[in-house]
Amino acid sequence: MKISKILFLTTAHRHDDDRIFYHQAKALKEEGYHVKICSLSSEFKGTVDGIEIESYALLDSYEPEVIICSEPLAVISAKKIKKKKKVKIIYDITEWYPSMRMVEQFSFPLNMIHAVKFFLVQLYAGFISTHYIFGENTKKFPLAYFFPFKKSVVIPYYPDDVYIHQNIKSLQPGKITLCYTGQFSEEKGIGNFFAAADSLRKKRPDLKISILLIGGSRKQKDEKYFSELKKKYNFDNIRIEKPTSFETFTETYADADICFDLRAMNYENHHCLPIKIFYYAASGKPVIYTDLKATRQHLDVSKFGFLVNPQNPESISDLIIKYIEDPKLYSEHAQNARKEYETKYNWNMIRNSFLNFVRKSLK
Protein backbone atom coordinates (compact mmCIF):
# COMPACT_ATOMS: atom_id res chain seq x y z
CA MET A 1 0.00 0.00 0.00
CA LYS A 2 1.35 3.39 -1.02
CA ILE A 3 2.12 5.81 1.81
CA SER A 4 1.21 9.39 0.96
CA LYS A 5 3.89 12.03 1.44
CA ILE A 6 3.03 15.32 3.13
CA LEU A 7 5.40 18.29 3.31
CA PHE A 8 5.14 21.23 5.69
CA LEU A 9 6.80 24.27 4.12
CA THR A 10 7.42 27.37 6.24
CA THR A 11 9.51 30.49 5.73
CA ALA A 12 8.92 32.13 9.12
CA HIS A 13 8.33 29.36 11.67
CA ARG A 14 10.89 27.04 13.24
CA HIS A 15 10.81 23.32 12.49
CA ASP A 16 9.64 22.65 16.05
CA ASP A 17 6.79 25.14 15.93
CA ASP A 18 4.04 23.99 18.30
CA ARG A 19 1.26 24.00 15.69
CA ILE A 20 3.27 22.52 12.83
CA PHE A 21 5.44 19.92 14.59
CA TYR A 22 3.79 19.07 17.90
CA HIS A 23 0.20 18.96 16.68
CA GLN A 24 -0.31 18.71 12.92
CA ALA A 25 2.83 16.81 11.83
CA LYS A 26 2.67 14.37 14.74
CA ALA A 27 -1.03 13.67 14.10
CA LEU A 28 -0.33 12.91 10.44
CA LYS A 29 2.67 10.72 11.32
CA GLU A 30 0.57 8.74 13.81
CA GLU A 31 -2.03 8.31 11.07
CA GLY A 32 0.56 6.57 8.87
CA TYR A 33 1.63 9.34 6.49
CA HIS A 34 5.24 10.07 5.55
CA VAL A 35 5.79 13.57 6.92
CA LYS A 36 8.54 16.08 6.29
CA ILE A 37 9.04 19.65 7.55
CA CYS A 38 11.05 22.19 5.60
CA SER A 39 11.76 25.36 7.60
CA LEU A 40 13.83 28.28 6.38
CA SER A 41 13.90 29.68 9.93
CA SER A 42 15.99 26.97 11.57
CA GLU A 43 19.18 25.13 10.63
CA PHE A 44 18.30 21.72 12.05
CA LYS A 45 18.47 18.73 9.74
CA GLY A 46 17.55 15.24 10.81
CA THR A 47 14.64 13.13 12.03
CA VAL A 48 12.60 13.73 15.19
CA ASP A 49 9.91 11.23 16.23
CA GLY A 50 9.87 9.83 12.70
CA ILE A 51 9.35 13.25 11.08
CA GLU A 52 12.04 14.39 8.62
CA ILE A 53 13.25 17.98 9.01
CA GLU A 54 15.36 20.08 6.64
CA SER A 55 16.24 23.75 6.46
CA TYR A 56 15.85 24.03 2.71
CA ALA A 57 13.37 22.71 0.18
CA LEU A 58 14.05 19.66 -1.95
CA LEU A 59 10.57 19.50 -3.45
CA ASP A 60 11.58 17.70 -6.61
CA SER A 61 13.31 14.83 -4.82
CA TYR A 62 10.76 14.43 -2.04
CA GLU A 63 7.72 14.57 -4.37
CA PRO A 64 4.97 15.25 -1.82
CA GLU A 65 1.30 14.85 -2.68
CA VAL A 66 0.24 17.58 -0.27
CA ILE A 67 2.19 20.68 0.76
CA ILE A 68 0.95 22.53 3.84
CA CYS A 69 2.26 26.10 3.74
CA SER A 70 2.31 28.58 6.60
CA GLU A 71 3.07 31.82 4.74
CA PRO A 72 2.37 33.44 1.35
CA LEU A 73 6.01 33.07 0.25
CA ALA A 74 5.90 29.36 1.08
CA VAL A 75 2.80 28.99 -1.10
CA ILE A 76 4.44 30.86 -3.97
CA SER A 77 7.56 28.67 -3.59
CA ALA A 78 5.38 25.57 -3.93
CA LYS A 79 3.81 26.84 -7.16
CA LYS A 80 6.48 25.28 -9.40
CA ILE A 81 6.04 21.79 -7.97
CA LYS A 82 2.27 22.15 -8.15
CA LYS A 83 2.51 22.63 -11.91
CA LYS A 84 4.77 19.60 -12.38
CA LYS A 85 3.26 17.10 -9.98
CA LYS A 86 -0.35 18.32 -9.56
CA VAL A 87 0.12 18.42 -5.80
CA LYS A 88 -2.43 19.96 -3.47
CA ILE A 89 -1.35 23.12 -1.65
CA ILE A 90 -3.02 23.70 1.69
CA TYR A 91 -2.46 27.23 2.97
CA ASP A 92 -2.62 27.28 6.79
CA ILE A 93 -3.45 30.91 7.58
CA THR A 94 -2.23 31.62 11.10
CA GLU A 95 -1.05 35.21 10.66
CA TRP A 96 -2.76 38.45 9.73
CA TYR A 97 -1.49 39.94 6.44
CA PRO A 98 -0.18 42.48 6.09
CA SER A 99 0.92 42.65 9.73
CA MET A 100 1.96 45.91 11.34
CA ARG A 101 5.53 44.68 11.82
CA MET A 102 5.86 44.24 8.05
CA VAL A 103 5.24 47.93 7.37
CA GLU A 104 6.41 49.62 10.60
CA GLN A 105 9.84 50.41 9.15
CA PHE A 106 8.27 52.58 6.44
CA SER A 107 6.96 56.11 6.90
CA PHE A 108 3.77 57.45 5.32
CA PRO A 109 2.88 57.08 2.45
CA LEU A 110 5.36 54.25 1.79
CA ASN A 111 3.80 52.15 4.55
CA MET A 112 0.43 52.29 2.77
CA ILE A 113 2.01 51.33 -0.56
CA HIS A 114 3.79 48.35 1.01
CA ALA A 115 0.61 47.33 2.85
CA VAL A 116 -1.20 47.14 -0.50
CA LYS A 117 1.70 45.19 -1.98
CA PHE A 118 1.65 42.62 0.85
CA PHE A 119 -2.14 42.39 0.57
CA LEU A 120 -1.83 41.53 -3.13
CA VAL A 121 0.84 38.92 -2.33
CA GLN A 122 -1.63 37.35 0.12
CA LEU A 123 -4.33 37.28 -2.57
CA TYR A 124 -1.91 35.68 -5.02
CA ALA A 125 -1.03 33.00 -2.48
CA GLY A 126 -4.73 32.41 -1.97
CA PHE A 127 -5.19 32.04 -5.71
CA ILE A 128 -2.40 29.46 -5.98
CA SER A 129 -3.58 27.41 -3.00
CA THR A 130 -6.08 24.61 -3.49
CA HIS A 131 -7.32 24.45 0.14
CA TYR A 132 -7.33 26.67 3.22
CA ILE A 133 -6.96 26.05 6.93
CA PHE A 134 -7.90 29.08 9.01
CA GLY A 135 -6.48 29.33 12.50
CA GLU A 136 -9.52 31.33 13.53
CA ASN A 137 -12.69 32.76 11.99
CA THR A 138 -11.38 36.32 12.18
CA LYS A 139 -8.59 35.43 9.72
CA LYS A 140 -10.97 34.30 6.97
CA PHE A 141 -10.78 37.72 5.37
CA PRO A 142 -9.86 38.23 2.58
CA LEU A 143 -9.29 34.74 1.14
CA ALA A 144 -12.59 33.10 2.10
CA TYR A 145 -14.39 36.04 0.51
CA PHE A 146 -12.34 36.27 -2.68
CA PHE A 147 -12.20 32.48 -3.21
CA PRO A 148 -15.36 31.07 -1.57
CA PHE A 149 -15.35 28.00 -3.83
CA LYS A 150 -12.13 26.62 -2.34
CA LYS A 151 -12.41 24.00 0.40
CA SER A 152 -11.59 25.30 3.86
CA VAL A 153 -11.75 24.40 7.54
CA VAL A 154 -11.16 26.25 10.81
CA ILE A 155 -8.56 24.51 12.99
CA PRO A 156 -7.89 26.54 16.16
CA TYR A 157 -4.72 26.44 18.27
CA TYR A 158 -6.00 24.06 20.95
CA PRO A 159 -3.27 22.26 22.94
CA ASP A 160 -2.67 18.55 23.32
CA ASP A 161 -2.97 17.52 26.96
CA VAL A 162 0.34 15.64 26.81
CA TYR A 163 2.08 19.04 26.88
CA ILE A 164 0.05 20.50 29.75
CA HIS A 165 1.25 20.78 33.34
CA GLN A 166 -1.88 21.28 35.39
CA ASN A 167 -1.54 23.30 38.61
CA ILE A 168 -4.84 24.63 39.94
CA LYS A 169 -4.09 26.86 42.91
CA SER A 170 -5.90 28.53 45.77
CA LEU A 171 -4.97 32.10 46.64
CA GLN A 172 -2.75 32.38 49.68
CA PRO A 173 -3.58 35.25 52.09
CA GLY A 174 -1.35 38.28 51.78
CA LYS A 175 0.40 37.38 48.53
CA ILE A 176 -0.20 36.93 44.82
CA THR A 177 1.86 36.00 41.75
CA LEU A 178 1.10 37.80 38.48
CA CYS A 179 2.44 36.27 35.26
CA TYR A 180 3.26 37.58 31.79
CA THR A 181 4.72 35.40 29.02
CA GLY A 182 5.89 36.25 25.52
CA GLN A 183 7.60 39.24 23.93
CA PHE A 184 8.68 42.08 26.20
CA SER A 185 7.41 44.81 23.89
CA GLU A 186 5.05 47.75 24.01
CA GLU A 187 2.71 46.28 21.39
CA LYS A 188 2.39 42.98 23.26
CA GLY A 189 1.43 44.86 26.42
CA ILE A 190 4.30 44.46 28.90
CA GLY A 191 3.92 48.16 29.79
CA ASN A 192 0.21 47.73 30.46
CA PHE A 193 0.98 44.73 32.66
CA PHE A 194 3.52 46.69 34.72
CA ALA A 195 1.11 49.61 35.09
CA ALA A 196 -1.63 47.31 36.40
CA ALA A 197 0.77 45.67 38.89
CA ASP A 198 1.91 49.12 40.04
CA SER A 199 -1.70 50.21 40.55
CA LEU A 200 -2.30 47.10 42.66
CA ARG A 201 0.85 47.82 44.70
CA LYS A 202 -0.38 51.33 45.49
CA LYS A 203 -3.85 50.15 46.49
CA ARG A 204 -2.58 47.25 48.59
CA PRO A 205 0.85 48.21 49.97
CA ASP A 206 0.86 45.30 52.46
CA LEU A 207 0.25 42.71 49.74
CA LYS A 208 3.32 40.72 48.64
CA ILE A 209 3.20 40.94 44.84
CA SER A 210 5.45 38.60 42.89
CA ILE A 211 6.01 39.30 39.19
CA LEU A 212 6.82 36.32 36.95
CA LEU A 213 8.01 37.14 33.43
CA ILE A 214 8.80 34.44 30.86
CA GLY A 215 10.13 35.54 27.49
CA GLY A 216 12.39 38.23 26.11
CA SER A 217 12.85 41.14 23.70
CA ARG A 218 13.45 40.44 20.02
CA LYS A 219 14.34 43.96 18.89
CA GLN A 220 16.74 46.53 20.28
CA LYS A 221 13.96 49.09 20.70
CA ASP A 222 11.96 46.55 22.73
CA GLU A 223 14.97 45.82 24.94
CA LYS A 224 15.37 49.52 25.61
CA TYR A 225 11.65 49.90 26.34
CA PHE A 226 11.72 46.98 28.76
CA SER A 227 14.81 48.29 30.56
CA GLU A 228 13.12 51.64 31.07
CA LEU A 229 10.05 49.91 32.47
CA LYS A 230 12.12 47.96 34.99
CA LYS A 231 13.78 51.16 36.19
CA LYS A 232 10.51 53.07 36.34
CA TYR A 233 8.58 50.51 38.41
CA ASN A 234 11.46 48.84 40.28
CA PHE A 235 9.42 45.90 41.61
CA ASP A 236 10.87 44.15 44.65
CA ASN A 237 9.85 40.58 43.77
CA ILE A 238 10.40 40.09 40.06
CA ARG A 239 11.60 36.90 38.39
CA ILE A 240 12.54 36.87 34.71
CA GLU A 241 12.88 33.52 32.94
CA LYS A 242 14.12 32.97 29.41
CA PRO A 243 11.82 31.26 26.88
CA THR A 244 11.73 27.52 27.38
CA SER A 245 11.02 24.55 25.15
CA PHE A 246 7.44 23.98 24.09
CA GLU A 247 7.23 20.71 26.03
CA THR A 248 7.99 22.45 29.33
CA PHE A 249 6.29 25.81 28.71
CA THR A 250 3.30 25.20 30.99
CA GLU A 251 5.61 24.12 33.82
CA THR A 252 7.37 27.50 33.81
CA TYR A 253 4.32 29.42 35.00
CA ALA A 254 3.04 26.76 37.44
CA ASP A 255 3.52 29.19 40.36
CA ALA A 256 1.36 31.88 38.76
CA ASP A 257 -1.97 32.84 40.30
CA ILE A 258 -3.22 34.95 37.37
CA CYS A 259 -1.94 35.05 33.76
CA PHE A 260 -2.16 38.21 31.67
CA ASP A 261 -2.20 39.33 28.06
CA LEU A 262 -2.73 43.08 27.81
CA ARG A 263 -1.70 43.72 24.21
CA ALA A 264 -2.76 46.91 22.43
CA MET A 265 -6.23 47.27 20.96
CA ASN A 266 -5.73 47.81 17.23
CA TYR A 267 -7.17 46.49 13.98
CA GLU A 268 -4.64 43.69 13.59
CA ASN A 269 -4.87 42.47 17.18
CA HIS A 270 -8.67 42.46 17.02
CA HIS A 271 -8.31 39.81 14.29
CA CYS A 272 -5.65 37.73 16.05
CA LEU A 273 -6.49 35.40 18.91
CA PRO A 274 -3.80 35.33 21.64
CA ILE A 275 -3.41 31.55 21.68
CA LYS A 276 -1.71 31.12 25.05
CA ILE A 277 -5.13 31.60 26.63
CA PHE A 278 -5.86 27.94 25.85
CA TYR A 279 -2.67 26.84 27.61
CA TYR A 280 -3.44 28.97 30.65
CA ALA A 281 -6.94 27.51 30.79
CA ALA A 282 -5.57 23.98 30.45
CA SER A 283 -3.23 24.64 33.37
CA GLY A 284 -6.09 25.92 35.52
CA LYS A 285 -5.05 29.58 35.55
CA PRO A 286 -7.55 32.46 35.68
CA VAL A 287 -6.73 35.13 33.09
CA ILE A 288 -7.04 38.87 32.53
CA TYR A 289 -6.94 39.64 28.81
CA THR A 290 -7.43 42.54 26.43
CA ASP A 291 -11.02 42.68 25.21
CA LEU A 292 -10.33 41.75 21.58
CA LYS A 293 -12.88 40.82 18.93
CA ALA A 294 -11.13 37.53 18.12
CA THR A 295 -11.06 36.50 21.79
CA ARG A 296 -14.75 37.31 22.32
CA GLN A 297 -15.70 35.40 19.19
CA HIS A 298 -13.86 32.18 20.05
CA LEU A 299 -14.42 31.63 23.76
CA ASP A 300 -16.34 32.78 26.83
CA VAL A 301 -13.60 34.20 29.05
CA SER A 302 -16.08 35.27 31.75
CA LYS A 303 -16.10 31.71 33.10
CA PHE A 304 -12.42 31.82 34.03
CA GLY A 305 -11.30 35.43 33.85
CA PHE A 306 -11.93 38.97 32.65
CA LEU A 307 -11.64 40.95 29.41
CA VAL A 308 -10.44 44.51 29.93
CA ASN A 309 -9.29 47.77 28.43
CA PRO A 310 -5.51 47.23 28.63
CA GLN A 311 -4.82 50.93 29.14
CA ASN A 312 -6.93 51.19 32.28
CA PRO A 313 -4.65 49.92 35.06
CA GLU A 314 -7.02 51.06 37.79
CA SER A 315 -9.86 48.82 36.60
CA ILE A 316 -7.45 45.92 36.07
CA SER A 317 -6.07 46.20 39.60
CA ASP A 318 -9.65 46.33 40.90
CA LEU A 319 -10.29 42.96 39.24
CA ILE A 320 -7.20 41.48 40.87
CA ILE A 321 -8.45 42.79 44.23
CA LYS A 322 -11.81 41.21 43.45
CA TYR A 323 -10.07 37.83 43.34
CA ILE A 324 -8.15 38.61 46.55
CA GLU A 325 -11.31 39.59 48.42
CA ASP A 326 -13.29 36.66 47.05
CA PRO A 327 -11.09 33.51 47.10
CA LYS A 328 -14.18 31.47 46.28
CA LEU A 329 -14.53 33.32 42.96
CA TYR A 330 -10.85 32.73 42.24
CA SER A 331 -11.16 28.99 42.92
CA GLU A 332 -14.30 28.81 40.80
CA HIS A 333 -12.51 30.47 37.87
CA ALA A 334 -9.44 28.23 38.29
CA GLN A 335 -11.60 25.09 38.21
CA ASN A 336 -13.67 26.45 35.32
CA ALA A 337 -10.52 27.16 33.31
CA ARG A 338 -9.51 23.53 33.29
CA LYS A 339 -13.09 22.38 32.74
CA GLU A 340 -13.55 24.68 29.73
CA TYR A 341 -10.33 23.33 28.24
CA GLU A 342 -11.34 19.71 28.79
CA THR A 343 -14.80 20.14 27.28
CA LYS A 344 -14.18 22.68 24.49
CA TYR A 345 -10.61 23.72 23.78
CA ASN A 346 -8.36 20.65 23.52
CA TRP A 347 -6.54 19.23 20.49
CA ASN A 348 -8.27 15.84 20.63
CA MET A 349 -11.58 17.54 19.84
CA ILE A 350 -10.31 18.94 16.53
CA ARG A 351 -7.59 16.44 15.62
CA ASN A 352 -9.87 14.35 13.40
CA SER A 353 -11.19 17.47 11.64
CA PHE A 354 -7.63 18.28 10.62
CA LEU A 355 -6.83 14.70 9.54
CA ASN A 356 -10.06 14.35 7.58
CA PHE A 357 -9.45 17.64 5.77
CA VAL A 358 -5.97 16.51 4.69
CA ARG A 359 -7.28 13.06 3.78
CA LYS A 360 -10.00 14.53 1.55
CA SER A 361 -7.51 16.87 -0.12
CA LEU A 362 -5.58 13.81 -1.31
CA LYS A 363 -8.55 12.47 -3.27
Side-chain angles (χ1 to χ4, degrees), residues 203-240:
K203 291 177 181 177
R204 293 296 177 95
D206 296 330
L207 180 69
K208 182 182 178 182
I209 303 171
S210 296
I211 305 294
L212 175 59
L213 305 178
I214 303 164
S217 302
R218 293 185 180 178
K219 301 177 182 178
Q220 189 173 0
K221 70 167 187 174
D222 295 333
E223 180 62 44
K224 181 182 178 183
Y225 174 73
F226 180 57
S227 296
E228 291 172 352
L229 284 178
K230 286 190 294 182
K231 291 178 184 177
K232 176 182 177 180
Y233 292 105
N234 194 27
F235 290 110
D236 292 330
N237 301 299
I238 184 169
R239 180 159 60 101
I240 303 174

Side-chain angles (χ1 to χ4, degrees), residues 3-228:
I3 299 176
S4 296
K5 293 181 177 180
I6 297 174
L7 173 69
F8 287 86
L9 184 59
T10 174
T11 58
H13 293 81
R14 285 179 50 83
H15 69 276
D16 55 355
D17 175 79
D18 59 340
R19 181 174 174 89
I20 295 173
F21 179 80
Y22 287 102
H23 291 89
Q24 295 179 344
K26 283 201 169 187
L28 289 166
K29 178 64 181 176
E30 290 166 4
E31 198 71 4
Y33 294 103
H34 191 287
V35 183
K36 186 170 185 174
I37 297 173
C38 174
S39 168
L40 301 185
S41 294
S42 57
E43 298 180 356
F44 180 85
K45 181 178 180 180
T47 301
V48 180
D49 294 342
I51 298 169
E52 289 186 35
I53 298 165
E54 289 195 36
S55 58
Y56 54 90
L58 290 173
L59 301 183
D60 289 326
S61 61
Y62 184 63
E63 296 187 350
E65 290 152 79
V66 173
I67 305 175
I68 302 177
C69 300
S70 301
E71 303 86 15
L73 290 181
V75 174
I76 295 169
S77 298
K79 179 186 175 184
K80 183 175 73 171
I81 196 72
K82 177 190 173 188
K83 281 185 176 180
K84 286 184 179 180
K85 311 291 183 181
K86 305 287 186 184
V87 302
K88 300 297 191 300
I89 299 179
I90 300 177
Y91 183 10
D92 186 10
I93 299 104
T94 62
E95 303 290 339
W96 179 261
Y97 290 100
S99 69
M100 292 174 63
R101 65 181 179 274
M102 296 170 70
V103 298
E104 66 180 359
Q105 60 182 307
F106 306 106
S107 58
F108 184 83
L110 283 178
N111 57 349
M112 301 301 294
I113 295 172
H114 282 282
V116 172
K117 180 184 74 174
F118 290 129
F119 179 79
L120 294 176
V121 169
Q122 172 78 332
L123 285 184
Y124 183 53
F127 173 74
I128 295 171
S129 306
T130 58
H131 298 70
Y132 304 134
I133 296 175
F134 295 103
E136 57 230 64
N137 285 316
T138 44
K139 290 201 178 108
K140 284 186 173 180
F141 180 83
L143 300 187
Y145 299 87
F146 277 80
F147 308 105
F149 51 88
K150 296 196 177 186
K151 300 290 185 182
S152 67
V153 66
V154 176
I155 303 294
Y157 311 87
Y158 300 164
D160 189 329
D161 205 49
V162 70
Y163 305 117
I164 300 299
H165 176 74
Q166 184 183 163
N167 188 25
I168 299 175
K169 298 181 66 180
S170 298
L171 283 184
Q172 300 299 309
K175 61 182 182 179
I176 195 165
T177 300
L178 312 178
C179 178
Y180 173 101
T181 71
Q183 293 181 42
F184 299 165
S185 68
E186 184 175 7
E187 193 223 344
K188 294 298 183 182
I190 186 72
N192 297 329
F193 172 73
F194 273 32
D198 182 56
S199 174
L200 176 64
R201 172 171 61 178
K202 291 173 180 175
K203 291 177 181 177
R204 293 296 177 95
D206 296 330
L207 180 69
K208 182 182 178 182
I209 303 171
S210 296
I211 305 294
L212 175 59
L213 305 178
I214 303 164
S217 302
R218 293 185 180 178
K219 301 177 182 178
Q220 189 173 0
K221 70 167 187 174
D222 295 333
E223 180 62 44
K224 181 182 178 183
Y225 174 73
F226 180 57
S227 296
E228 291 172 352

Side-chain angles (χ1 to χ4, degrees), residues 16 19 137 152 178 238 250 261 294 312 327 337 342-343 348 360:
D16 55 355
R19 181 174 174 89
N137 285 316
S152 67
L178 312 178
I238 184 169
T250 58
D261 191 309
N312 191 337
E342 290 177 345
T343 57
N348 282 337
K360 289 178 181 177

